Amino acid sequence: MNPSFSTTINGQNQEVQVKSNQTLLEFLRDDLKLKGAVEGCSVGVCGSCTVLIDGKPVSSCLTLASNIEGHEVTTIEGLSQNGDLDPVQQAFLKHQAFQCGYCTTGMIMAVKGLFNAHPHPTEEQARDYLSGNLCRCGTYKEVLAAVAELANE
Ligand code: FES
Ligand code: FES
C-alpha cells in the first residue's frame, strides 16, 4: 500500500499519498504539478532538481517522496510572496544570472539554502555551496555576482 502522511509543501500543510518507490522530483512534478524543479542527470550530479527540505537544499531526484513526512518542502513556486519575487530571484534577474534557464530553478534554490545557512556568505562559501549545481551555459560569474550583492545587504 502506498504511504500517506502529512507534510508541508510551500507553506501549505497537506495530506499526501506517494508511491513507495517514487522520488520527490517525480512526486512534485507528476502528482503536484509543480514543474519548477527539473530533471537533468537523475543521479544527483547536476543540481537542476534542487528543492529545500527544512531549509536545506537536496537533490529531489535522489530523495524518496516518502522521506518528506513531517518535513517542510520548499520549491521555486513557493518563493514569491504576494506576487513579489524573492530577493534571490530579483538578484538573478538584475545580474542576468541565467541563459537557457534549465539550471536556474535549482541554482536559485541552492542559493536560498546558502543564505539559510550563512546569512552573509563569503565567495568561498558560495562556491562551495553551489559546487553541486552545474550550468552548461556558464553563468557562474553572474550567479556569484548576484550572491555577492545579496551577501552585502
Ligand atoms: S536531476 Fe537531480 S541532481 Fe541532476
Ligand atoms: S542557464 Fe543554461 S544551463 Fe544554466
Side-chain angles (χ1 to χ4, degrees), residues 19 21-28 60-65:
K19 299 175 195 76
N21 63 347
Q22 191 174 31
T23 67
L24 178 56
L25 181 61
E26 291 167 337
F27 175 64
L28 292 170
S60 59
C61 71
L62 287 188
T63 305
L64 280 176

Side-chain angles (χ1 to χ4, degrees), residues 14-114:
Q14 49 193 280
E15 286 295 314
V16 297
Q17 185 165 39
V18 304
K19 299 175 195 76
S20 51
N21 63 347
Q22 191 174 31
T23 67
L24 178 56
L25 181 61
E26 291 167 337
F27 175 64
L28 292 170
R29 290 183 59 86
D30 300 342
D31 293 15
L32 299 187
K33 307 301 179 198
L34 295 171
K35 306 278 190 182
V38 293
E39 187 160 23
C41 67
S42 317
V43 291
V45 171
C46 74
S48 67
C49 65
T50 303
V51 300
L52 303 182
I53 297 183
D54 298 336
K56 298 193 183 101
V58 300
S59 295
S60 59
C61 71
L62 287 188
T63 305
L64 280 176
S66 56
N67 285 350
I68 64 171
E69 178 174 6
H71 292 283
E72 286 193 26
V73 178
T74 308
T75 71
I76 190 88
E77 290 88 348
L79 292 193
S80 63
Q81 299 291 327
N82 303 319
D84 291 330
L85 291 178
D86 182 272
V88 174
Q89 293 171 303
Q90 292 179 24
F92 268 61
L93 275 175
K94 179 175 171 188
H95 291 274
Q96 299 187 346
F98 50 84
Q99 282 186 35
C100 77
Y102 200 85
C103 72
T104 307
T105 54
M107 198 73 88
I108 287 173
M109 298 314 289
V111 171
K112 286 296 291 179
L114 167 70

